[in-house]
Amino acid sequence: MKVVVIGGTGLIGSKLVGKLDDHGHEAVAASPRTGVNALTGEGLAEALAGASVVVDVSNSPSWADDDVMHFFRTSTGNLLKAEGDAGVTHHVALSVVGTDRLQESGYFRAKQAQEELIKAAEIPYSIVHATQFFEFVTGIADISTEGDTVRLAPVQFRPVHSDDVAAALGRTAVGAPVNGVLEIAGPDVFQLDELIRQLLSDKKDARTVVTDPSAPYSGAGLKDETLVPSRGAQIAETRFADWLARQQ
């Protein structure tokens, strides 16, 4: 089948395109880099012609509250309209575990708005919620740093490898729409502050991690289970320690 991947040249999108190609599907990497811009609508009609499935893994270039809301509302609206015109029968979107519990954050309010647009449309859909990717764990320290101090809440954290997320999206894309949410998480459960503390220590990073239950995550407060999925989640195979060892 023809599967158009919006954001198909990014971290997840490029891996997804490769996996779909390997399984004999016609995967189209659609992004501004390839002349397809969901935010402006440029190239959408041409890219979606003959497509059965669209997978949206795009992300806003700016996380400022107004910018990110504009991005997800506008691009999703444009995409759903173009899909309807093209006869697409399955819309798949990548979102984040805990989105509905992180509504103090402008970014997650925008992701929630995206999901609501998808659910309200007439196109059958599947929304895949993933936990944080291994590749972005250190970035959590960066956005939580003030001076030489990193403030993090002592909450459960279950990161997942981007390869496993791409594989889950591929399985979802070629399967029947669930008209609901699927979750995927990594196999290991950590405490967020302890994991970052160990990572920075291993990298000989001089920043000090301070355990602070009130520390925000992308502007939102956390409870112990905010960032982890429900019991019915798909559990990926790749362990964080194994992935980290390969980065050395």
Side-chain angles (χ1 to χ4, degrees):
M1 64 178 67
K2 179 178 177 180
V3 182
V4 177
V5 181
I6 305 296
T9 57
L11 173 66
I12 298 295
S14 58
K15 293 182 177 186
L16 174 58
V17 167
K19 291 179 185 297
L20 290 168
D21 282 340
D22 288 346
H23 284 83
H25 300 287
E26 179 189 353
V28 177
S31 74
R33 210 180 302 174
T34 64
V36 181
N37 191 324
L39 186 60
T40 65
E42 177 189 0
L44 276 181
E46 295 80 4
L48 268 57
S52 300
V53 182
V54 170
V55 184
D56 184 7
V57 297
S58 63
N59 208 350
S60 174
S62 168
W63 282 27
D65 286 2
D66 290 344
D67 292 344
V68 73
M69 182 64 79
H70 172 70
F71 176 86
F72 282 117
R73 281 190 179 278
T74 304
S75 62
T76 302
N78 288 341
L79 191 53
L80 292 168
K81 182 181 184 304
E83 289 174 19
D85 293 342
V88 170
T89 56
H90 190 185
H91 178 96
V92 181
L94 177 62
S95 194
V96 187
V97 165
T99 289
D100 60 340
R101 302 187 291 270
L102 291 161
Q103 291 298 292
E104 294 174 87
S105 162
Y107 179 82
F108 289 103
R109 286 196 297 273
K111 290 298 289 182
Q112 186 71 24
Q114 177 192 29
E115 293 187 26
E116 289 169 358
L117 286 172
I118 293 166
K119 292 173 182 177
E122 296 182 356
I123 298 168
Y125 70 91
S126 302
I127 297 172
V128 177
H129 278 189
T131 53
Q132 186 58 268
F133 308 149
F134 290 170
E135 290 85 350
F136 299 154
V137 169
T138 304
I140 295 172
D142 297 337
I143 65 173
S144 304
T145 296
E146 294 182 5
D148 294 325
T149 300
V150 185
R151 294 189 178 276
L152 293 165
V155 296
Q156 293 182 65
F157 186 63
R158 196 165 188 168
V160 65
H161 190 201
S162 58
D163 277 359
D164 293 330
V165 174
L169 284 166
R171 292 191 298 270
T172 303
V174 301
V178 300
N179 293 315
V181 175
L182 304 168
E183 294 183 312
I184 182 169
D188 303 308
V189 181
F190 301 98
Q191 188 168 296
L192 178 59
D193 55 329
E194 291 181 354
L195 177 61
I196 300 297
R197 184 178 289 114
Q198 185 61 53
L199 278 177
L200 296 184
S201 175
D202 290 347
K203 292 184 175 185
K204 297 183 170 32
D205 189 314
R207 286 179 289 178
T208 300
V209 175
V210 173
T211 301
D212 180 357
S214 66
Y217 182 89
S218 292
L222 296 177
K223 296 181 179 178
D224 187 46
E225 297 184 348
T226 300
L227 303 178
V228 293
S230 61
R231 289 186 178 181
Q234 299 176 34
I235 303 303
E237 295 183 357
T238 310
R239 295 193 173 278
F240 184 74
D242 294 337
W243 172 83
L244 192 62
R246 296 197 295 268
Q247 311 310 305
Q248 305 303 321

